[in-house]
Amino acid sequence: MIELEWHDDIALLTMDGGENRWNLDTATELASALDQVEARKGPVGLVITGTGKFFSNGLDLDWVMADVGGTGDFFPVLFRSLARILRFAGPTVAAVNGHAFGAGAMLCTVCDHAVMREDRGYWCMPEADLGLAVDPRIYALLATRLPKRTLTEAINTGHRWSGPEAVAAGFVDRTAPEDQVVPVALERARSLADKDRAVIAEHKRLLHHEALEILDPGGPNHPGAAG
């Protein structure tokens, strides 16, 4: 589902699997792509996007219901990858081309910056409507980026934020026309990619250390872990 291409020093990860839903295979693909990006020497930035009308529509419920095995491994792999993006030693930008629900909303939230399509697509955490309690790891992740009032509304109402609403709520930087979402995100990442990677990694550890310890206990979340 995940394609990786380089635009000079910027890695563009594109999810191209229909609704871009998450299962063990796709989470493993994400981890493998992050291995390649983190191994890059020198300046580097990361942009994540989807295709069509979906950034990512969340968990692959058909896979879960099929009970084919692997669900026990899935969440550790997914949350560890989200932690890696949260502490990534360089700028990260979500280019939200369409709907971002559940795990897709989380993937958007762990990025430093987000550009969202101005005319279509919603950001949503649907647990309240599904009768599911939010996992403490998900809460810790959302709390790194969402203002408390917005976080309360997100988990208790399942509200769907459009691009302009998400900008007003403070967790998306800006909106753009459909054909400009990725170019704008690439330019944002490019403008910040020359920062010292060790310094950026340390600053992200300071900003997000509590969430990182919950998402990836025992991971490189200690002082000086610069990726």
Side-chain angles (χ1 to χ4, degrees):
M1 183 180 82
I2 295 176
E3 300 175 359
L4 172 63
E5 60 181 281
W6 288 93
H7 294 250
D8 299 320
D9 296 326
I10 309 303
L12 176 63
L13 267 62
T14 301
M15 299 174 286
D16 189 15
E19 294 188 8
N20 298 327
R21 289 183 176 271
W22 291 91
N23 55 41
L24 181 58
D25 286 343
T26 51
T28 302
E29 282 188 53
L30 175 62
S32 178
L34 292 175
D35 288 341
Q36 297 178 59
V37 178
E38 289 175 343
R40 181 86 166 194
K41 303 299 183 183
V44 66
L46 173 63
V47 172
I48 302 174
T49 194
T51 53
K53 67 178 183 179
F54 293 101
F55 178 73
S56 170
N57 213 19
L59 183 62
D60 185 345
L61 296 177
D62 291 339
W63 172 73
V64 173
M65 297 302 294
D67 193 23
V68 295
T71 54
D73 297 324
F74 167 70
F75 285 104
V77 173
L78 177 64
F79 283 118
R80 191 173 302 118
S81 292
L82 292 173
R84 291 170 69 181
I85 296 169
L86 189 60
R87 65 172 177 253
F88 181 74
T92 57
V93 187
V96 187
N97 57 291
H99 299 308
F101 277 58
M106 292 188 288
L107 185 59
C108 168
T109 305
V110 292
C111 292
D112 302 322
H113 309 279
V115 180
M116 194 166 172
R117 182 173 167 178
E118 65 187 9
D119 63 332
R120 185 172 185 174
Y122 294 104
W123 185 103
C124 175
M125 293 298 299
E127 279 81 354
D129 291 329
L130 297 175
L132 300 172
V134 168
D135 186 287
R137 292 167 294 184
I138 296 174
Y139 180 87
L141 182 158
L142 296 174
T144 64
R145 192 77 61 217
L146 271 61
K148 189 63 174 287
R149 188 180 188 91
T150 303
L151 175 57
T152 300
E153 187 173 5
I155 65 174
N156 283 340
T157 74
H159 179 73
R160 300 180 179 192
W161 277 268
S162 67
E165 289 175 332
V167 172
F171 63 93
V172 166
D173 297 74
R174 59 168 294 181
T175 61
E178 178 185 8
D179 64 351
Q180 290 299 305
V181 170
V182 171
V184 169
L186 287 169
E187 181 54 36
R188 181 59 173 160
R190 192 175 293 115
S191 72
L192 298 169
D194 63 347
K195 309 296 184 186
D196 186 285
R197 292 180 66 182
V199 169
I200 296 302
E202 175 61 8
H203 288 175
K204 289 186 181 183
R205 187 200 65 80
L206 292 170
L207 286 164
H208 307 311
H209 66 94
E210 292 180 357
L212 288 168
E213 290 291 352
I214 294 172
L215 289 167
D216 186 20
N221 305 315
H222 53 80

